[in-house]
Amino acid sequence: AQSVTQPDIHITVSEGASLELRCNYSYGATPYLFWYVQSPGQGLQLLLKYFSGDTLVQGIKGFEAEFKRSQSSFNLRKPSVHWSDAAEYFCAVGASSFGNEKLTFGTGTRLTIIP
Amino acid sequence: GAVVSQHPSRVICKSGTSVKIECRSLDFQATTMFWYRQFPKQSLMLMATSNEGSKATYEQGVEKDKFLINHASLTLSTLTVTSAHPEDSSFYICSARDRGGGREKLFFGSGTQLSVL
């Protein structure tokens, strides 16, 4: 069965500092991996996804993620965070590149930005 | 862009009552919608897949008589928690699949926080 682990429940980062959110997955075949962000009162928004090709994926809002098969990881990064990045971030693994078939989510990481 | 509206965002009800949650795709037709549940400090878990005009497909361990899903139109799916109990208190979120214009995307609602007293 597929599973996703986000080890960090809550992370606090200073505005302008770099960010890395960790995600580890377990999946029997080639994984389709996603990062979603949820701002308060908003729905989940897709930041980026990986399903093949270049292991470094660029997403929206300046985010990127790197797929490392040997470590079963798909960590999300941003070189310089903005106060508007404060939100809940979810890593997910799915059975298709569109993410519409039985997504399995991690528990989420809440990001707080301090001035 | 495409938007999925979920209502209500928060509901508090007494034990034994039923609660209906609506999920609407606002500018696209969604033949398929998904319902998820998240308990505190746990993952979002898929409960069921809702298909327009047919019965929903429930994931293992989800009681279909407890969580009634109706997808009667291409833009609306509803989840009814029947005879709610405190253990049903959770965050429920829907998503809708947009297959229009040769693309295929998944859009999420903003979720519903259910508290059963």
Side-chain angles (χ1 to χ4, degrees):
Chain A
Q2 57 200 46
S3 66
V4 177
T5 302
Q6 291 180 250
D8 304 306
I9 296 173
H10 187 197
I11 283 182
T12 300
V13 177
S14 298
E15 189 169 15
S18 62
L19 170 72
E20 183 169 33
L21 302 182
R22 295 183 291 167
C23 173
N24 292 96
Y25 68 90
S26 174
Y27 192 68
T30 300
Y32 297 100
L33 296 160
F34 307 82
W35 273 100
Y36 284 87
V37 59
Q38 185 178 31
S39 299
Q42 303 293 317
L44 290 169
Q45 181 183 23
L46 180 66
L47 282 176
L48 47 79
K49 63 181 180 182
Y50 168 81
F51 52 93
S52 68
D54 193 346
T55 56
L56 184 63
V57 181
Q58 301 298 320
I60 63 171
K61 303 184 179 185
F63 285 93
E64 65 177 27
E66 186 171 12
F67 170 62
K68 293 184 177 180
R69 186 185 297 275
S70 61
Q71 298 177 18
S72 296
S73 69
F74 189 57
N75 295 347
L76 181 72
R77 301 194 295 249
K78 186 170 184 177
S80 177
V81 297
H82 186 262
W83 64 267
S84 60
D85 294 324
E88 186 93 18
Y89 291 81
F90 293 92
C91 181
V93 62
S96 79
S97 62
F98 299 111
N100 53 20
E101 299 294 339
K102 297 187 178 183
L103 280 176
T104 298
F105 286 87
T107 50
T109 298
R110 181 173 298 279
L111 175 64
T112 298
I113 308 296
I114 56 176
Chain B
V3 175
V4 171
S5 173
Q6 187 172 341
H7 178 80
S9 59
R10 183 178 294 273
V11 58
I12 301 172
C13 69
K14 292 182 178 180
S15 184
T17 61
S18 295
V19 175
K20 180 184 285 187
I21 302 170
E22 293 186 347
C23 183
R24 293 180 184 274
S25 57
L26 297 184
D27 59 1
F28 66 95
Q29 294 182 331
T31 56
T32 303
M33 293 186 176
F34 303 89
W35 287 96
Y36 296 84
R37 175 173 58 185
Q38 183 182 29
F39 292 109
K41 299 184 180 180
Q42 295 187 28
S43 303
L44 277 164
M45 299 296 297
L46 179 66
M47 298 175 65
T49 302
S50 169
N51 299 295
E52 187 270 335
S54 64
K55 292 182 179 180
T57 303
Y58 290 82
E59 295 300 302
Q60 189 173 7
V62 178
E63 301 174 59
K64 58 183 180 182
D65 295 329
K66 172 76 170 175
F67 299 99
L68 300 179
I69 291 174
N70 184 288
H71 194 160
S73 80
L74 287 171
T75 59
L76 175 64
S77 175
T78 61
L79 168 67
T80 301
V81 183
T82 62
S83 187
H85 287 94
E87 57 265 31
D88 298 324
S89 298
S90 186
F91 182 74
Y92 295 85
I93 193 167
C94 70
S95 65
R97 179 193 293 173
D98 178 9
R99 282 181 161 168
R103 60 167 185 257
E104 184 153 346
K105 288 187 176 181
L106 195 64
F107 296 94
F108 285 82
S110 54
T112 297
Q113 184 64 53
L114 171 64
S115 299
V116 185
L117 304 178

